[in-house]
Amino acid sequence: NAGVTQTPKFQVLKTGQSMTLQCAQDMNHNSMYWYRQDPGMGLRLIYYSASEGTTDKGEVPNGYNVSRLNKREFSLRLESAAPSQTSVYFCASSEIGRTSGLYEQYFGPGTRLTVT
Amino acid sequence: QKEVEQNSGPLSVPEGAIASLNCTYSDRVSQSFFWYRQYSGKSPELIMSIYSNGDKEDGRFTAQLNKASQYVSLLIRDSQPSDSATYLCAVIWGNYGQNFVFGPGTRLSVLP
């Protein structure tokens, strides 16, 4: 199992450009998430999807859109990139753990995005 | 606003000592608690989860939960230099579905 994969690993954009970050998981999880991580801020939720066909806003959704294409894939789109969106973006998926009985969340390797 | 707070550190401990990491949260309507380890430049990795008051042990790691005082802690026994990382505390709130709210993390440095 590859777990959670993300593409690209690195990206540099100019202000106003658009791009889509791709995420896929092969663990058959229902829930998927997009976070951004900035120094000293921890992980902040952008959007999440509790199941295929549903998406909900998180703490910092402005400037982003998402698509839950199917159970495996959850993409994040920046329509008009701004320098404030320079960050590390993590995709994650979660399911109830067999032994813990609690939701367990697994992260992809991240995308380092710089907007100039 | 749901909040999770952690001391940003760095917390420095000598090799072989016990490292104690603390996390407080703002709302009593919380459900589950998690500790993640994040090495520099890498993604977070789940190391412990806890739901009930008291202690939960897994190898060198012990998670402690006190819902009345609204804190959760992580103890690392026999700390090793390989434990040097940032430790993130996360909480699922009772009425917040499956959303994880993360603290800013505490940077731990284990000195050889």
Side-chain angles (χ1 to χ4, degrees), chain B:
Chain B
Q1 182 76 8
K2 314 294 186 187
E3 291 186 347
V4 178
E5 297 185 348
Q6 297 179 254
N7 189 323
S8 61
L11 173 67
S12 296
V13 300
E15 183 174 354
I18 296 175
S20 178
L21 304 160
N22 298 314
C23 170
T24 58
Y25 55 95
S26 65
D27 197 303
R28 291 183 183 274
V29 185
S30 52
Q31 196 170 56
S32 310
F33 306 84
F34 306 84
W35 283 100
Y36 289 80
R37 178 176 61 200
Q38 186 175 24
Y39 292 114
S40 181
K42 302 296 185 182
S43 56
E45 169 192 15
L46 178 66
I47 54 173
M48 289 287 289
S49 59
I50 188 167
Y51 171 76
S52 303
N53 275 325
D55 295 359
K56 179 181 178 182
E57 189 174 316
D58 184 359
R60 295 186 296 112
F61 298 100
T62 299
Q64 299 176 318
L65 176 59
N66 185 323
K67 290 188 177 181
S69 299
Q70 295 175 224
Y71 81 80
V72 56
S73 61
L74 179 70
L75 301 179
I76 307 175
R77 290 181 300 281
D78 188 23
S79 295
Q80 302 297 310
S82 58
D83 294 325
S84 297
T86 296
Y87 289 80
L88 303 171
C89 173
V91 179
I92 289 184
W93 304 102
N95 297 324
Y96 214 39
Q98 301 162 28
N99 282 349
F100 294 71
V101 179
F102 285 82
T106 297
R107 191 153 57 93
L108 172 67
S109 179
V110 181
L111 307 173

Side-chain angles (χ1 to χ4, degrees), chain A residues 45-65:
Chain A
L45 182 66
I46 304 171
Y47 272 92
Y48 83 102
S49 171
S51 62
E52 182 180 351
T54 68
T55 61
D56 283 286
K57 295 178 180 179
E59 181 186 353
V60 288
N62 291 344
Y64 306 94
N65 286 302

